[in-house]
Amino acid sequence: LHRQQVTMKFTAIVTALIALVAPAAAFVPTGGARTRGLTTIKMGYVPDGLTPAQYKALKAKEEAQAKANKKKAMKGSVEDLTDWQARSAKKYPNQMGAGHVYVKLKGKATYGKDPNPNNR
């Protein structure tokens, strides 16, 4: 009788394990037609009228122009903070925050003024 109880408990445990593991097998990929090979997709954008080599050369030229422009255009202000503070303190004594200066723009900057004062 004791041996029969142990066998029944063992059978119940095995059945429970199979019931838990069986649904997980549905998520394991099987071999055959369902799996794909490890291939690299080789697609890319090329505008109409250009070959891939021409487009690559054009992109390289644009990147070189952008890099050169960034070096040239992003210089910032010529005046450093120490010079500005000394000039501001001399021009506006005992007036905190007076003499604020906006970032200097290159080209035809108006700095908030009317570029053509005769339009009034």
Side-chain angles (χ1 to χ4, degrees):
L1 185 68
H2 184 268
R3 186 174 181 178
Q4 189 178 13
Q5 287 178 345
V6 171
T7 306
M8 287 178 58
K9 285 183 181 178
F10 179 73
T11 305
I13 291 173
V14 169
T15 306
L17 287 175
I18 291 173
L20 289 174
V21 174
F27 298 104
V28 176
T30 59
R34 289 186 179 184
T35 60
R36 296 183 188 174
L38 298 175
T39 58
T40 305
I41 298 174
K42 296 181 180 180
M43 293 190 302
Y45 172 75
V46 178
D48 287 340
L50 292 179
T51 65
Q54 289 172 331
Y55 183 60
K56 187 176 179 181
L58 179 69
K59 292 297 283 180
K61 180 182 172 188
E62 287 176 352
E63 285 179 21
Q65 277 182 333
K67 196 178 282 188
N69 188 30
K70 189 171 185 176
K71 284 182 181 179
K72 181 173 54 173
M74 302 299 280
K75 291 295 180 187
S77 180
V78 239
E79 184 177 41
D80 64 356
L81 182 61
T82 308
D83 295 340
W84 176 82
Q85 283 179 330
R87 181 180 51 79
S88 180
K90 186 177 181 182
K91 190 172 182 180
Y92 305 101
N94 299 324
Q95 295 179 10
M96 296 298 291
H100 177 76
V101 178
Y102 290 95
V103 175
K104 296 179 182 179
L105 302 174
K106 293 186 178 187
K108 297 180 180 180
T110 61
Y111 299 103
K113 299 175 187 168
D114 189 4
N116 191 355
N118 297 332
N119 286 341
R120 294 178 192 234

